[in-house]
Amino acid sequence: MKFVSTRGNAPAVGIDAALVAGLAPDGGLYVPESIPALDLATPRATLAETAHACLAPWFAGSRIEATLADLCAHAFAFDAPLRPLTGAGDHLLELFHGPTAAFKDYAARFLAGTLGALRDPHAPATTILVATSGDTGAAVASAFHRRPGFSVVILYPEGRVSPRQAHGLECWGDNVRAFRIEGSFDDCQRLAKHALSDPDLRARVPLGTANSISLGRLLPQAAYYAHAAAHHQAATGRRLGVIVPTGNLGNASAAWLARAMGAPLGDIRLACNANDTLPRYFAGDAYTAQATRATLANAMDVGAPSNFERLRHWHADDDALRQAFAACSVEDPTIRETIRCAPTRHGIVPCPHTATGLHLLEALRHAGDSGDWAVVATAHPAKFDAIVEPLVGHAVAPPPALARCLARPARGDRLAATSAALARALVG
Ligand SMILES: *Cc1c(COP(=O)(O)O)cnc(C)c1O
């Protein structure tokens, strides 16, 4: 299987080179030359087995083809249960049972496993540089923690992540360092991009990335959609539609990919927060990146969704893409109201991101839709206790893995939002 750039000006490469490079040399995103058709309707016993079935065709001919099953077993070691909610046909696809209680754990662990397996053992250690609005940094830190040949540097915007998210970024130690940047998430991203495109710096410090445009994060995410859809169809005879809380469009692109490969998924709907670049586009406006707005669902605070270019590439034109998805924007007051009512309406406590999806489900039911839907629960509500607990009126206990993380001491350093300060920190 070969991978080409969305911008069409880079040579086709195999999966190993695409994984290590992250971004194509012409600035585009790597996409497969073709999408394999698989038997994904037959349910498999474990999520790891489904992951292996979904990923095997991409890794045909890879140097790590023989270890793929082990990599899947490691990355998909925790379940992604499809839990029925109170209403008929309503479900929650729980993706928060990993070590940092967000769906990004699956892909970060898979990426860390593949980069670890592909690494030349004699090469100097690679520093994975990651700008995060909260969840990515923790998932990447956890996935690379104490992994030989790698260190992690996290950049996060001071004061803009929840206290528990901050703890989850700062509690690792060893080969992981966290920096509170005196600025916004956009500043963090700008600093990371600048460092990664600085050849002098890269000659002194080998740098790598783990952001959501990497194929190593996109491809594994198809697994939980394929797994849930196959089991749902086997049990009910019906296709499962999914409602995906969306920021950079990585998770929703993976759902699209799972369906394109043959998973019996129904419609894919995107729930966004007040950052409404995608809802505007899918409603017919031209695609226009917006400045990022801070919301309660902070991991979705994205004004220029990085995977859009990939989805656009996979469709003949804007009309075709607009027919494949629908998106809605959910403002903070509605997020609050949805969290407040969720225990009685749905029988669960959602995180603010998941709440955007629940609101979209409520809107579909209100409009008379009677299909089977799964709202994707992207993070555990206990990560956002300061928002969620006052709304539902009781404490939300962290799951065991998150509790272990919160019990460790946290340590981060403040850093000015300048490239010079970051270069000093990286070299030093
Ligand atoms: C990252 C994240 C999202 C958005 O996922 P994308 O793949 O960027 O669209 C939604 N919810 C949570 C909790 C996240 O961490």
Side-chain angles (χ1 to χ4, degrees), residues 182-253:
E182 299 164 13
S184 66
F185 170 61
D186 292 335
D187 291 322
C188 297
Q189 225 165 6
R190 179 176 50 77
L191 291 174
K193 274 193 188 146
H194 190 264
L196 286 160
S197 60
D198 177 347
D200 293 341
L201 181 61
R202 292 190 79 154
R204 292 203 281 167
V205 190
L207 293 178
T209 67
N211 60 20
S212 83
I213 52 151
S214 164
L215 275 180
R217 285 194 44 199
L218 177 75
L219 300 177
Q221 293 181 157
Y224 38 74
Y225 292 108
H227 195 68
H231 282 273
H232 184 75
Q233 194 187 47
T236 66
R238 292 190 297 273
R239 280 182 176 253
L240 184 66
V242 287
I243 300 171
V244 187
T246 292
N248 266 320
L249 260 177
N251 207 7
S253 297

Side-chain angles (χ1 to χ4, degrees), residues 242-271:
V242 287
I243 300 171
V244 187
T246 292
N248 266 320
L249 260 177
N251 207 7
S253 297
W256 182 88
L257 193 62
R259 194 177 62 190
M261 288 192 293
L265 281 166
D267 284 346
I268 302 166
R269 301 289 176 109
L270 313 178

Side-chain angles (χ1 to χ4, degrees), residues 101-104 133-136 165 212 217 221 244-253 297-300 302 306-307 351 353-354 376-380 383-384:
F103 78 95
K104 293 183 174 86
S133 58
D135 289 333
T136 302
Q165 274 179 313
S212 83
R217 285 194 44 199
Q221 293 181 157
V244 187
T246 292
N248 266 320
L249 260 177
N251 207 7
S253 297
N298 63 5
M300 293 156 47
V302 178
S306 51
N307 282 287
C351 85
H353 312 80
T354 308
V376 177
T378 48
H380 192 282
K383 245 180 147 165
F384 302 90

Side-chain angles (χ1 to χ4, degrees), residues 70-134:
D70 288 344
L71 291 174
C72 289
H74 172 76
F76 293 89
F78 37 90
D79 266 348
L82 183 65
R83 183 183 301 286
L85 298 177
T86 313
D90 296 353
H91 301 79
L92 195 69
L93 180 57
E94 293 182 355
L95 302 183
F96 51 62
H97 294 284
T100 71
F103 78 95
K104 293 183 174 86
D105 280 323
Y106 291 109
R109 286 161 67 88
F110 183 78
L111 179 72
T114 53
L115 293 184
L118 285 168
R119 168 173 192 275
D120 169 1
H122 305 297
T126 301
T127 299
I128 302 286
L129 182 59
V130 48
T132 184
S133 58

Side-chain angles (χ1 to χ4, degrees), residues 31-57:
V31 284
E33 270 182 340
S34 61
I35 295 175
L38 306 175
D39 170 19
L40 293 178
T42 310
R44 289 166 171 86
T46 64
L47 178 58
E49 281 173 47
T50 305
H52 187 248
C54 289
L55 287 161

